[in-house]
Amino acid sequence: MEALILSCSTGGGHNTAAQAVFEALTERGHHAVRMDPYTLVSEELANKVGQTYIKLVQKSPKLFGAVYDLGNAYRKLPGRSPVYHINGKMAPYMQKYLAEHLTDVIVCTHLYPAEILTHMRLNGMETPPFVFIATDYTCVPFTEESDCDLYVTPSPLLSSDFTGRGIPAEKLRPLGIPV
């Protein structure tokens, strides 16, 4: 099996989960590639996305909390979020990568790649099956905008959090966070 594991450097948990999935797949004889999708544009963009998030959390935690609360409020509005539309701009880059690299399954340990792939799918671009692994103990804002084939959640106790946001129960797999 050829697997693509997508994460973003917006915190250690996402990348730790991506690394755990990578190791588990390669130990079982599968071929896996791990990447930040923003590197398809440039390393500079990938670093900028990650560092902006980390700096906001570290230097302005109250502002980060306000932005998170704004995301929770925005998710009640009809239509897709600005976050979805910004990530959608990555679709042509991901489409090109997938056209050039055999991929049987994609594992996303961050919401941004799941939104990129959802944008592709909703705009008629082919994608292999893709799985979202939630690395937070909640259904983070805008997860419900994604259209993944499966959602791995940290605990069965969170199922109602995800189904309450419109994610079908049959797509949930409460398997924990890979470490």
Side-chain angles (χ1 to χ4, degrees):
M1 176 174 65
E2 298 288 329
L4 176 61
I5 304 161
L6 299 174
S7 185
C8 294
S9 297
T10 58
H14 305 292
N15 286 336
T16 299
Q19 183 63 29
V21 171
F22 174 84
E23 290 172 8
L25 288 171
T26 56
E27 285 171 7
R28 289 164 176 82
H30 303 289
H31 180 258
V33 172
R34 197 181 137 220
M35 75 160 61
D36 180 326
Y38 294 104
T39 61
L40 296 173
V41 174
S42 70
E43 289 287 338
E44 182 182 352
L45 178 61
N47 290 334
K48 192 175 201 175
V49 169
Q51 290 304 313
T52 299
Y53 179 89
I54 290 169
K55 284 179 184 176
L56 180 62
V57 171
Q58 290 177 342
K59 297 187 187 266
S60 302
K62 287 184 181 179
L63 179 58
F64 172 77
V67 169
Y68 192 91
D69 291 343
L70 184 62
N72 265 328
Y74 193 94
R75 74 196 310 190
K76 296 173 185 170
L77 299 174
R80 301 218 180 246
S81 71
V83 173
Y84 171 83
H85 293 291
I86 290 168
N87 284 306
K89 294 182 183 304
M90 288 296 301
Y93 299 97
M94 183 59 65
Q95 182 182 33
K96 182 177 187 290
Y97 178 88
L98 292 173
E100 296 171 356
H101 299 86
L102 175 65
T103 305
D104 298 312
V105 66
I106 302 174
V107 177
C108 305
T109 61
H110 193 283
L111 176 63
Y112 293 173
E115 289 205 311
I116 294 166
L117 295 164
T118 297
H119 181 87
M120 291 175 65
R121 186 175 275 176
L122 294 178
N123 285 280
M125 297 177 222
E126 285 194 37
T127 67
F130 59 98
V131 178
F132 175 70
I133 297 177
T135 58
D136 295 288
Y137 288 97
T138 187
C139 183
V140 297
F142 312 130
T143 301
E144 64 275 8
E145 293 181 325
S146 66
D147 182 24
C148 303
D149 296 287
L150 292 174
Y151 295 81
V152 175
T153 63
S155 166
L157 299 174
L158 295 174
S159 294
S160 63
D161 195 18
F162 285 80
T163 58
R165 297 290 177 190
I167 297 172
E170 61 272 9
K171 289 187 172 189
L172 298 179
R173 300 294 184 275
L175 303 173
I177 300 173
V179 292

